[in-house]
Amino acid sequence: MFVIFERLADLVTFRLLGLSDGTKLADAVHFFVGDTTKIFVLLVAVVFLVGLFRSVMTPERVRDYLAGRSRGTTYGMAVGLGAVTPFCSCSSVPLFIGFLKSGIPMGATMAFLIASPMVNEVAVVVLAGVVGWEVAVLYVATGLAVGTLGGWLTDRFHLERFVRDFVWQVRTAQGAGNLPDTSLSGRARFARDEVREILGRIWLYVLIGIGIGAGLHGFVPQEVFAQYAGAENLLAVPAAVLAGIPLYANATGVIPVVDALLGKGVPIGTALVLMMSVVALSLPEFILLRQVITVRGLAAYAGFMATAFIAVGYLFNAIL
């Protein structure tokens, strides 16, 4: 299906640049050209389709759909909606406030906010295109499981006490607001604008990720990864979690790095843990959530996510 990108990479690397097959530079350039073209083509196509969906499924509609449901029902609905709604960590604060003020239980709110950035539908399709559907399905299943467990634990231990007082006092906006153009041409314009906005926001991070992946693929010997990130190294999984915290990137930007790590023999659990940590445990995510959650609540959130990721990493490395 993606053979056209491999042929384009062959053309640029060996014909236009005249690099010798099998050299480190040729391997790095081939990886960079192939992944750049593949990822950006997939991004344009998927973001456009997601934009069409987003013109229908607004945050307000998601909030209203979850409101008034029982706690048990909302967990599954929250992670399911989180998986198919294109909201990133930048939406965390307004969604958090809006959900709680609408009467949605704290557990369901956290389940949604965990699953939504983790199970990024754009990243899932790109991940499937780059490393295969098997890995993408594992990633989705993990995100849904972590979101559901996080929501249940939030209610079980009454973590709503860690929500800052002002959140409960905020009045959510009422009324229709600016309704989008719901005609087919209007939705197409909205989707086109989404492509322009999202690609304009993430293209640099994607290129940086591909560049890092190309460097790892072409210049770092496989023996290095076998020694420091192999399944035999029990510290590799926690190290992957810690490595993701200071990084600022979305899931799409990390995919080329995951691709390169898997190609070098890094176990799938370790590679996916790095991706999940970058998406859900990054410093920007903490900074945003700190606006609505106390330090103790943020510590509980970080501790749960890190523990869940480490457990998932060890499990995947053991069974795969």
Side-chain angles (χ1 to χ4, degrees), residues 1-6 38 41-42 125 128-129 133:
M1 177 180 178
F2 298 108
V3 66
I4 185 173
F5 303 112
E6 290 296 317
K38 182 192 305 181
V41 168
L42 285 171
V125 174
W133 278 106

Side-chain angles (χ1 to χ4, degrees), residues 6-315:
E6 290 296 317
R7 291 178 178 174
L8 178 60
D10 290 342
L11 175 64
V12 173
T13 305
F14 306 123
R15 296 281 298 275
L16 296 182
L17 298 179
L19 299 177
S20 300
D21 191 8
T23 63
K24 294 180 179 180
L25 180 59
D27 288 345
V29 171
H30 192 278
F31 181 97
F32 186 86
V33 174
D35 268 37
T36 298
T37 52
K38 182 192 305 181
I39 287 175
F40 276 99
V41 168
L42 285 171
L43 274 175
V44 171
V46 177
V47 171
F48 185 85
L49 293 176
V50 169
L52 292 176
F53 177 76
R54 188 172 179 177
S55 67
V56 177
M57 187 60 72
T58 63
E60 293 76 19
R61 183 166 292 182
V62 173
R63 183 192 64 201
D64 295 342
Y65 189 66
L66 290 175
R69 310 277 181 172
S70 66
R71 288 179 184 266
T73 303
T74 54
Y75 294 144
M77 294 174 61
V79 295
L81 287 169
V84 299
T85 47
F87 310 129
C88 61
S89 59
C90 59
S91 304
S92 296
V93 172
L95 282 171
F96 191 94
I97 295 173
F99 277 28
L100 292 182
K101 291 300 292 183
S102 298
I104 297 172
M106 176 74 173
T109 299
M110 290 304 299
F112 180 89
L113 293 180
I114 291 171
S116 186
M118 278 189 65
V119 191
N120 182 300
E121 60 290 318
V122 175
V124 168
V125 174
V126 176
L127 183 65
V130 174
V131 298
W133 278 106
E134 296 86 353
V135 177
V137 169
L138 282 175
Y139 181 75
V140 171
T142 300
L144 297 180
V146 171
T148 302
L149 179 60
W152 181 80
L153 288 175
T154 297
D155 282 338
R156 175 67 177 80
F157 293 100
H158 305 289
L159 298 185
E160 62 271 9
R161 67 184 185 276
F162 294 134
V163 176
R164 298 180 68 182
D165 292 338
F166 85 90
V167 173
W168 306 108
Q169 301 166 2
V170 173
R171 293 180 178 272
T172 53
Q174 301 294 325
N178 295 321
L179 295 176
D181 184 350
T182 57
S183 66
L184 182 59
S185 60
R187 296 190 191 282
R189 283 194 299 272
F190 181 86
R192 180 197 61 200
D193 292 341
E194 286 281 283
V195 172
R196 183 183 299 113
E197 178 186 351
I198 292 177
L199 261 66
R201 191 169 65 238
I202 71 172
W203 69 268
L204 180 59
Y205 299 113
V206 174
L207 285 180
I208 291 173
I210 296 172
I212 294 173
L216 295 174
H217 181 82
F219 294 100
V220 181
Q222 187 165 346
E223 293 76 15
V224 173
F225 293 99
Q227 180 179 357
Y228 295 105
E232 296 78 11
N233 184 357
L234 295 180
L235 295 179
V237 172
V241 173
L242 293 176
I245 293 175
L247 300 179
Y248 181 75
N250 55 31
T252 308
V254 186
I255 287 173
V257 179
V258 172
D259 186 17
L261 292 176
L262 293 175
K264 287 293 185 177
V266 173
I268 187 172
T270 306
L272 287 183
V273 160
L274 174 64
M275 181 174 175
M276 291 185 289
S277 180
V278 170
V279 173
L281 277 178
S282 65
L283 287 177
E285 177 81 0
F286 288 156
I287 292 171
L288 286 169
L289 288 177
R290 178 64 183 89
Q291 300 177 50
V292 291
I293 300 177
T294 65
V295 173
R296 291 180 63 191
L298 203 59
Y301 169 82
F304 163 73
M305 298 294 278
T307 302
F309 293 166
I310 291 171
V312 167
Y314 282 138
L315 177 63

